[in-house]
Amino acid sequence: MSYIDFLFEFSPKLLTGAYITALQMLCASALAILVSLTFGLLRLSKNRLATGFATVYIEFFRGTSLLVQLYWIYYVLPLMGLTLDAFEAGFIAIGLNFGAYGAEIVRGSIQAVPKGQWEAATALNMSPSLRMRRIIIPQTFSILLPPASNLLVELLKATSLVALITVVDLMFVAKQINATTWLSAQTFGTALVIYYVMARFALTPFLRWLEILAARKVGKV
C-alpha cells in the first residue's frame, strides 16, 4: 500500500482521533489552570493549614507517576464507589497532575513581582485581596506565561497516555490501525506529524500571542 493510499483510507479515523485528543487537551488545560491558580495562591497563604494542604497536594502529584494516577482514577476509584468514564478519567488525571506543576509556576510568578509593587499597594491601604486582584496578579501574566506555555505543550503530548484507558484518541486510533495493517512507519509517522502540527501551528502561536498581549499590558513591548 502506498502512503497516499494509506492516507486516503485511514486519515478520517486519524483526524477523528486528533479531535478527541484536542478535546482532552482543552478539558485538561482548563482543569490544570483552575488547580494551578487555586493551589498556587494557597501556597502563599498565611494560614498554615492551607499552605500545608497545598504543599501535600503538589508534592504528591509531582512525585508520583502520571500513568499510575491515571490508572488509579479509572480503575481504583470505582472500587471506592466513584466511577468515571474513560474520557473524564483521562482529562481529570492529566489536569490534576499538570495543575500541581502549574501551581509552582503561579507561586513563583507572584513572588517575582517586584517588592516595590507590594509596598505601593500596601501604602495605598489596599486590602490583601484587592492588592492581589488589582496590582499583583495582572503583573504576573508576563512572567507566568512563558513557563506555562511550555507546560501546556507538554500537557498536549501527555494526552497520548489516555489511550491506555481506552479513550479513542489519536494514539488509540493509531495503535488500532497498526494492529490491523502492520504499517508502523506510516501509522505512527502520521500520528507524529499530527501531534507536531497541533503543537507547532495551533497551540504555540496562540500561546505566543497571549505572551505578547500580557507583555503589552504591563508595558514591556
Side-chain angles (χ1 to χ4, degrees):
M1 178 185 291
S2 70
Y3 186 58
I4 298 299
D5 292 335
F6 173 86
L7 289 178
F8 182 77
E9 182 172 351
F10 294 109
S11 59
K13 292 182 179 179
L14 290 167
L15 291 176
T16 299
Y19 172 72
I20 299 300
T21 292
L23 288 181
Q24 276 283 318
M25 184 202 68
L26 290 173
C27 293
S29 296
L31 178 58
I33 291 169
L34 178 62
V35 170
S36 298
L37 291 173
T38 301
F39 284 90
L41 292 173
L42 286 177
R43 283 277 280 127
L44 297 171
S45 173
K46 294 182 180 179
N47 185 309
R48 290 186 177 181
L49 184 61
T51 302
F53 174 67
T55 301
V56 169
Y57 172 87
I58 291 169
E59 293 305 319
F60 174 79
F61 277 93
R62 291 199 309 170
T64 56
S65 167
L66 172 56
L67 182 58
V68 176
Q69 295 164 17
L70 188 65
Y71 283 155
W72 256 84
I73 291 174
Y74 186 61
Y75 292 113
V76 179
L77 287 187
L79 302 178
M80 303 175 183
L82 179 59
T83 301
L84 299 171
D85 65 38
F87 185 90
E88 292 172 344
F91 81 76
I92 288 173
I94 295 172
L96 292 177
N97 181 273
F98 279 82
Y101 290 93
E104 287 296 275
I105 294 175
V106 170
R107 178 189 62 81
S109 299
I110 291 174
Q111 291 179 327
V113 173
K115 187 178 180 181
Q117 298 294 316
W118 296 81
E119 294 173 346
T122 302
L124 292 172
N125 200 30
M126 289 185 173
S127 65
S129 60
L130 182 62
R131 178 180 62 196
M132 290 294 291
R133 189 171 67 253
R134 297 290 299 274
I135 304 297
I136 305 303
I137 289 181
Q139 296 185 64
T140 65
F141 288 114
S142 61
I143 304 170
L144 178 151
L145 279 170
S149 297
N150 289 334
L151 194 65
L152 288 176
V153 173
E154 290 297 320
L155 185 151
L156 169 62
K157 293 185 286 186
T159 59
S160 61
L161 291 177
V162 301
L164 298 174
I165 58 169
T166 70
V167 176
V168 189
D169 71 329
L170 176 57
M171 184 52 60
F172 186 90
V173 172
K175 289 169 64 179
Q176 280 189 323
I177 295 171
N178 184 63
T180 57
T181 64
W182 293 102
L183 298 172
S184 301
Q186 295 92 324
T187 302
F188 294 115
T190 304
L192 185 73
V193 170
I194 293 174
Y195 276 115
Y196 177 76
V197 168
M198 292 173 70
R200 178 62 183 86
F201 297 105
L203 183 58
T204 300
F206 173 70
L207 294 172
R208 286 180 178 170
W209 173 75
L210 288 181
E211 289 179 29
I212 293 171
L213 186 63
R216 285 176 178 169
K217 290 290 185 180
V218 295
K220 290 187 177 181
V221 295

